[in-house]
Amino acid sequence: MRHNKSFNHLSRKKAHRDSLLANMTISLIMHKRINTTLAKAKALRMYAEPLINRAKEDTMANRRLVFSYLQNKYAVSELFNDVAQKIGDRPGGYTRILKTGNRLGDNAQMCFIELVDYNPTYNAAKGAEKAAKSTRRSRKKSAAPKAEAAPAAEEPATEAPKAEAPAAEEPKAE
């Protein structure tokens, strides 16, 4: 019986499936975005996210555990150095799946799976929202100082014509 066994076997034996998911995880870490079928992407998300979560705490035990799954020292160092820096404050959900349509040959659903913090399209919108929020806060805070700064702005205005007057006299002198 297969009660409560809910993961996708991907029509492969266990050794083949583990090898496939490990290789796809290595590619995802190294390239930050890969193109695959929707079923493989969903299986990859279940495989890769616990490994990415381990990378948040850089200990020798975590490095060895992740290396036992991936067997690629370059991917492990990339994961613990670069990826962990970007996802350090994120509580989960390190990957995003973007559906792209169906493949021509067999009509399989295709998609991109990517690391969330590495897509500049979504990060630019997120950064703009944060900037908009911070400017609103600064406007509220700086509304009172601007009222105080207005009389100070009038004083340099009286000095400005004096500075312009010598500039006007210089062309007359020539």
Side-chain angles (χ1 to χ4, degrees), residues 28 33-34 36 41 44-45 95-97 111-114:
L28 180 64
R33 181 183 216 192
I34 57 174
T36 184
L44 176 63
R45 180 170 51 188
T95 58
R96 177 187 293 126
I97 294 177
C111 67
F112 282 112
I113 182 167
E114 64 185 6

Side-chain angles (χ1 to χ4, degrees), residues 14-141:
K14 180 173 175 34
H16 188 190
R17 186 172 54 249
D18 287 343
S19 179
L20 169 83
L21 293 174
N23 287 331
M24 289 178 68
T25 304
I26 291 167
S27 296
L28 180 64
I29 291 168
M30 298 303 281
H31 301 291
K32 312 302 188 253
R33 181 183 216 192
I34 57 174
N35 187 18
T36 184
T37 62
L38 185 61
K40 287 180 186 175
K42 287 180 179 179
L44 176 63
R45 180 170 51 188
M46 290 174 56
Y47 187 88
E49 289 209 4
L51 297 179
I52 296 171
N53 200 23
R54 287 273 181 187
K56 290 168 83 171
E57 185 182 349
D58 190 5
T59 62
M60 185 59 68
N62 283 346
R63 282 184 179 264
R64 286 179 175 167
L65 193 137
V66 170
F67 184 77
S68 71
Y69 282 93
L70 298 183
Q71 297 294 316
N72 187 325
K73 64 181 180 181
Y74 301 111
V76 172
S77 64
E78 176 84 13
L79 176 64
F80 277 87
N81 295 336
D82 297 336
V83 177
Q85 295 297 323
K86 286 217 174 191
I87 56 117
D89 59 340
R90 183 177 290 275
Y94 309 116
T95 58
R96 177 187 293 126
I97 294 177
L98 302 169
K99 296 178 184 176
T100 58
N102 295 344
R103 188 162 49 197
L104 290 177
D106 59 353
N107 207 30
Q109 289 182 323
M110 297 299 290
C111 67
F112 282 112
I113 182 167
E114 64 185 6
L115 294 175
V116 172
D117 294 325
Y118 284 92
N119 190 336
T121 305
Y122 288 98
N123 290 343
K126 182 180 173 184
E129 290 174 6
K130 285 185 178 179
K133 289 180 182 178
S134 65
T135 56
R136 286 183 193 142
R137 288 181 187 145
S138 65
R139 286 180 192 157
K140 289 179 183 177
K141 290 178 183 176

